[in-house]
Amino acid sequence: NCSQGQFPITQNVTVVEGGTANMTCRVDYNDNTSLQWSNPAQQTLFFGDKKALRDHRIELVRATSQELTIRINDVSLSDEGQYTCSLFTMPVKTTKAYLTVLGVPSRPEITGFTKPAMEGDEITLTCITSGSKPAANIRWFRNDKELMGKYMKVNATGKSFTVRSSLLLQVDKRDDGVAYTCSVEHVSLYKPYMTTEVLEVHYAPQLEITHSLIIPQEGQYFKLECVSIGNPIPEPVLWSKDGGELPDIERMIVEGRELTITTLNKTDNGTYRCEASNHVGTSFAEYILFVYDPNALGQHVPDHALIGGVVAVVVFITLCLIIVLGRYLARHKGTYLTHEAKGAEDAPDADTAIINAEGNHVHAEEKKEYFI
């Protein structure tokens, strides 16, 4: 039992680069035999409470007959390896403890993009992080949606790794203002390192004309607005009518993107165009204006609700007539045939049957039918 109690006990230690590692060696029973810590190069660090290696980062924490604990400050990747605790009995008893050092990845950098991009361009974004151990993992996000990178490449640089991941994009106007984020995940990090690149994409204008009235009428105030998107923002907006300049600048007022006609009349009928451009391209939109006469509009434009009500009444009456007529015919069809045939059962031929039928004696000649 004493022999077993004199066997040293240690534990493996994992520490983040730059952190502090405490290495502890214990025995349950010791007859005043010294404990010793050695590094992976088999250099003695401490023999009991005596420091043997001149390294200011290494210091004594606790030294008793049953425990020897040392501290390694500002741990580097080169400190990683197998450490030995020795108990100097006869024979010497040793136990190994492995110190694992995690290399912290650098904050990622995104390369491969120069602002601004042109719509239709194909660009490759590359995210790079170095110094990780083990190798870090890279993920891509478009705003909050995760994307799959084209590839991820890992290079060993000494004891650490450099990781690259690329994202191939065919940019269009929907990418303008979109945030592309590279996220680096690693066991040494409490939360991922992230770097974001907001894309700027230049694209040609897109125009649309909105109008203030559904049915423009003579004498009304009317406004057209040229709504445009584009990057850079297209300025200015040019208005024209029927392929030429606006004919009445006193009534047709242009303010920025708006065209206002103060008092509509029939001469304003025509096609109005707004046009805008930037360095990417030029676009236009058109609106056909037809000015209505308010008097004619009141006479000829029927009340749709009234028309619907009239149609519903006509359909209802028609259905009622069809039902009544159908029931009448069904009720009187059998009676008519029975009276016509009454008294004609024993007639030798068709002519006699018609003459002998009940009620036909007086008008027998009128109802007589001839068969050929």
Side-chain angles (χ1 to χ4, degrees):
N1 291 336
C2 291
S3 176
Q4 291 178 354
Q6 281 191 285
F7 200 90
I9 302 170
T10 61
Q11 287 184 329
N12 295 332
V13 176
T14 299
V15 63
V16 175
E17 182 181 15
T20 299
N22 286 341
M23 310 290 294
T24 298
C25 180
R26 292 188 178 91
V27 290
D28 293 333
Y29 170 77
N30 189 359
D31 54 359
N32 294 321
T33 304
S34 296
L35 290 169
Q36 172 186 294
W37 271 113
S38 302
N39 64 15
Q42 295 304 309
Q43 296 172 315
T44 300
L45 302 178
F46 271 89
F47 186 80
D49 59 356
K50 303 295 189 293
K51 186 174 184 178
L53 185 68
R54 292 182 179 180
D55 187 336
H56 68 279
R57 299 179 305 124
I58 302 175
E59 60 186 21
L60 180 66
V61 176
R62 184 179 178 84
T64 67
S65 61
Q66 292 180 290
E67 178 184 336
L68 178 59
T69 299
I70 63 174
R71 177 182 297 127
I72 306 174
N73 297 305
D74 193 20
V75 175
S76 66
L77 294 179
S78 62
D79 293 322
E80 183 174 86
Q82 191 165 262
Y83 288 72
T84 304
C85 177
S86 303
L87 178 64
F88 282 85
T89 58
M90 292 298 291
V92 177
K93 299 175 182 176
T94 62
T95 300
K96 307 293 184 179
Y98 199 90
L99 174 62
T100 300
V101 181
L102 303 177
V104 181
S106 63
R107 291 193 175 273
E109 296 181 3
I110 297 177
T111 62
F113 176 67
T114 302
K115 295 182 179 181
M118 303 294 290
E119 184 175 21
D121 283 354
E122 188 175 274
I123 63 174
T124 300
L125 300 181
T126 300
C127 180
I128 304 173
T129 180
S130 59
S132 60
K133 178 183 165 297
N137 182 52
I138 292 179
R139 298 168 67 189
W140 284 99
F141 294 87
R142 184 184 190 273
N143 291 334
D144 295 328
K145 182 179 180 181
E146 185 170 3
L147 303 174
M148 294 300 297
K150 184 180 179 183
Y151 60 85
M152 187 162 65
K153 186 177 181 181
V154 178
N155 292 327
T157 53
K159 288 191 174 183
S160 64
F161 298 89
T162 297
V163 184
R164 290 179 174 84
S165 179
S166 294
L167 190 65
L168 182 63
L169 300 175
Q170 183 84 33
V171 298
D172 60 24
K173 59 179 174 293
R174 292 173 296 180
D175 287 307
D176 186 38
V178 170
Y180 283 88
T181 300
C182 167
S183 173
V184 173
E185 299 175 343
H186 193 260
V187 64
S188 66
L189 302 176
Y190 291 107
K191 61 181 181 179
Y193 284 160
M194 293 186 178
T195 297
T196 298
E197 185 75 38
V198 178
L199 268 61
E200 180 183 355
V201 181
H202 283 188
Y203 57 95
Q206 290 183 328
L207 308 180
E208 179 186 1
I209 296 178
T210 61
H211 47 91
S212 60
L213 297 173
I214 298 176
I215 303 177
Q217 302 178 37
E218 286 183 294
Q220 288 184 322
Y221 178 92
F222 188 61
K223 180 187 292 185
L224 294 175
E225 182 178 0
C226 187
V227 180
S228 64
I229 59 172
N231 192 17
I233 297 174
E235 293 288 355
V237 171
L238 303 178
W239 285 96
S240 61
K241 179 191 177 189
D242 297 330
E245 296 182 355
L246 297 176
D248 190 344
I249 59 174
E250 293 185 358
R251 288 189 309 109
M252 299 180 178
I253 303 170
V254 176
E255 293 180 345
R257 301 175 182 275
E258 295 181 351
L259 167 61
T260 301
I261 305 176
T262 56
T263 308
L264 287 173
N265 60 53
K266 289 290 187 180
T267 63
D268 297 326
N269 290 343
T271 301
Y272 291 79
R273 171 186 286 204
C274 71
E275 185 175 306
S277 61
N278 57 21
H279 71 89
V280 183
T282 301
S283 299
F284 67 88
E286 292 184 339
Y287 174 79
I288 299 176
L289 173 62
F290 182 82
V291 181
Y292 291 86
D293 182 347
N295 297 322
L297 194 64
Q299 295 174 1
H300 298 289
V301 177
D303 188 332
H304 295 287
L306 180 60
I307 292 176
V310 172
V311 171
V313 171
V314 171
V315 171
F316 177 75
I317 293 174
T318 303
L319 289 175
C320 291
L321 290 174
I322 291 173
I323 293 171
V324 171
L325 183 60
R327 295 186 64 182
Y328 177 82
L329 292 177
R331 179 179 298 177
H332 292 85
K333 182 176 180 182
T335 304
Y336 172 78
L337 294 175
T338 301
H339 284 291
E340 284 292 319
K342 193 172 182 181
E345 294 86 348
D346 300 326
D349 52 47
D351 289 344
T352 306
I354 293 172
I355 296 171
N356 292 340
E358 184 179 337
N360 287 343
H361 296 290
V362 178
H363 303 288
E365 190 62 33
E366 295 177 6
K367 291 191 177 184
K368 185 175 183 180
E369 296 183 11
Y370 294 89
F371 298 90
I372 299 176

